[in-house]
Amino acid sequence: MTRVADAFTYQALPMRVVFGSGRLQELPEEAARLGLGRVMVLSTPGRRDLAESAASLLTGRAAGVFAGARMHVPADVAAAARDEIRRMGADGCVAVGGGSTIGLGKAIALDSGLPVIAVPTTYAGSEMTPIWGLTEAGRKRTGRDPAVLPRTVIYDPELTFGLPVDVSGTSGLNAMAHAVEALYAPDTSPVIALFAEQGIRSLAAALPAIAARPGDPAARHSALRGAWLCGACLGATTMSLHHQLCHVLGGNFDLPHAPTHAVLLPYVAVYNLPAAPIADGVVRRALESPDPAHALAELGAAVGAPRSLGDLGLREADLPAVVDQVLDRPYANPAALTRHGLTTLLTAALNGTPPHGPLETERPSQWKSPDEPPSAHRRPQREFS
Ligand code: NAD
């Protein structure tokens, strides 16, 4: 059988998205729609008040609040939450918060099969994916399982008005990284290309506006809509070098999740986009820039994101171990993964050397549409300057 170059497979994920200001109020109806009678509300300790408000909306359907969620889902926290759920006889969870809280809901679903309603309050995107993670003895295990995909996601921009500007900026760049990598994923598709372009465009416009006016309703609405689209990209495709580097740096060097994404994205764009011309064209169009790496770095600066891996605590002596781990089990990637290339990328990111993309100021006409076939043209990869 001959496979044509534009063949693709797209598997839509079975979930319901409820989006709009004030729509958290519809939580009781959404719980009823799933047939839930006793629901445990999850949050981090800092968001207990919001979890209590959600529980009060649920009135007779609320089983209680577990406000112990922590970053990277420690296995003992997941076990404590499961015990509490059993003790209270809950038949489902509502995870109100960022990726840490939604991750706890997924860990509970992985073990028990209980349905999760996600109410995201950051832009990280976990609510749109079947990806779970659990950390035990300093090691984070991850996997994909349809059982952990939230059944319903309620996006209420009002819940993000108080999200601190620095967390908004870094988690927004975390979301954009999902979309950029989805565009050159081995399992990308025309649907995902549309989601990715719109998601990147929404966040690129909204994040600087949020930095200037954190409570701006229009900017918050646009950022959360972008986060939804970018999260859907993560849920539907296989990630590449950028996510692998973040996984290694978070898992083995304890670098913070969203700031690491924010620092690395422009450097990975320089490395990968020249080898992925269609993705490159879409990212240029979405960012309205002939130099995506530079535009992404400018965006990071505009939202006050950290500038370098050195700022996050990585040392030059750590780089060979990072490179070894990437090369040991490389993810699929559009550009060849070489020791020299990865060391150059990481050294630039370690020092915060300004990244610059290809010199062309005009996009060749064959890149105008994401659904046109790839050009045979491959520009040589540029070194960091
Ligand atoms: P987070 O959930 O840890 O939240 C960061 C901090 O912001 C927390 O202290 C939280 O309480 C606070 N916060 C959240 N929303 C707030 C709001 N609206 N107002 C004020 N404070 C608020 O951070 P995150 O970046 O959303 O998630 C990171 C975690 O998610 C990582 O563990 C990462 O691995 C995981 N993640 C998983 C997936 C996936 O598909 N499985 C995708 C993305 C991220």
Side-chain angles (χ1 to χ4, degrees):
M1 190 178 69
T2 313
R3 262 182 187 266
V4 289
D6 59 355
F8 65 88
T9 301
Y10 173 65
Q11 169 82 53
L13 294 173
M15 68 191 330
R16 175 176 165 85
V17 172
V18 174
F19 193 108
S21 285
R23 296 201 72 182
L24 178 62
Q25 300 299 320
E26 295 170 39
L27 180 59
E29 289 92 311
E30 293 302 329
R33 175 184 276 271
L34 291 173
L36 302 179
R38 275 183 75 70
V39 184
M40 181 67 79
V41 183
L42 311 172
S43 74
T44 53
R47 303 296 287 157
R48 178 183 273 280
D49 286 356
L50 181 59
E52 306 260 355
S53 316
S56 68
L57 284 174
L58 286 163
T59 56
R61 287 183 204 275
V65 167
F66 180 91
R70 296 217 326 261
M71 180 82 89
H72 300 312
V73 196
D76 58 338
V77 170
R82 277 194 294 264
D83 287 349
E84 185 67 358
I85 279 170
R86 256 192 301 273
R87 198 174 66 77
M88 302 304 293
D91 57 6
C93 301
V94 178
V96 186
S100 298
T101 307
I102 293 166
L104 177 60
K106 289 174 165 182
I108 292 164
L110 184 67
D111 189 60
S112 64
L114 291 185
V116 176
I117 297 177
V119 183
T121 63
T122 71
Y123 306 132
S126 175
E127 67 281 357
M128 293 304 295
T129 84
I131 304 167
W132 57 268
L134 265 174
T135 306
E136 194 160 20
R139 266 200 79 225
K140 185 166 180 179
R141 288 183 297 127
T142 61
R144 286 188 186 240
D145 189 323
V148 310
L149 185 74
R151 304 284 175 89
T152 300
V153 182
I154 302 179
Y155 285 104
D156 185 341
E158 288 177 15
L159 305 180
T160 63
F161 286 4
L163 185 65
V165 165
D166 58 337
V167 186
S168 303
T170 54
S171 82
L173 284 156
N174 182 183
M176 290 170 85
H178 307 328
V180 170
E181 294 234 294
L183 283 166
Y184 52 62
D187 43 6
T188 195
S189 66
V191 175
I192 287 306
L194 293 172
F195 276 32
E197 179 169 353
Q198 194 55 50
I200 294 169
R201 182 174 288 120
S202 290
L203 280 159
L207 294 180
I210 288 169
R213 299 176 306 280
D216 180 335
R220 288 294 187 181
H221 182 104
S222 174
L224 197 59
R225 200 169 61 98
W228 160 52
L229 294 165
C230 292
C233 291
L234 176 65
T237 59
T238 309
M239 295 288 106
S240 298
L241 175 63
H242 176 86
H243 282 73
Q244 186 176 19
L245 284 171
C246 291
H247 197 135
V248 170
L249 291 168
N252 296 68
F253 297 89
D254 215 21
L255 264 58
H257 182 81
T260 305
H261 274 272
V263 169
L264 273 177
L265 186 56
Y267 298 99
V268 177
V270 172
Y271 195 94
N272 269 347
L273 289 179
I278 292 180
D280 187 32
V282 176
V283 178
R284 287 174 187 227
R285 194 166 53 218
L287 293 172
E288 296 178 10
S289 167
D291 187 344
H294 180 68
L296 290 166
E298 294 269 284
L299 193 55
V303 300
R307 303 297 283 259
S308 73
L309 296 179
D311 288 346
L312 301 180
L314 197 73
R315 296 164 308 136
E316 192 164 5
D318 298 326
L319 298 189
V322 179
V323 173
D324 283 346
Q325 287 191 46
V326 171
L327 292 177
D328 193 32
R329 297 180 63 191
Y331 292 12
N333 197 62
L337 297 175
T338 65
R339 182 167 297 280
H340 173 72
L342 292 173
T343 304
T344 307
L345 183 166
L346 285 165
T347 304
L350 180 82
N351 297 320
T353 310
H356 285 290
L359 287 173
E360 293 97 320
T361 49
E362 277 185 30
R363 186 168 13 96
S365 58
Q366 68 266 33
W367 300 349
K368 276 188 178 147
S369 164
D371 50 15
E372 284 169 11
S375 154
H377 177 70
R378 290 282 186 279
R379 285 163 298 148
Q381 193 169 303
R382 290 196 55 235
E383 294 293 315
F384 299 98
S385 56

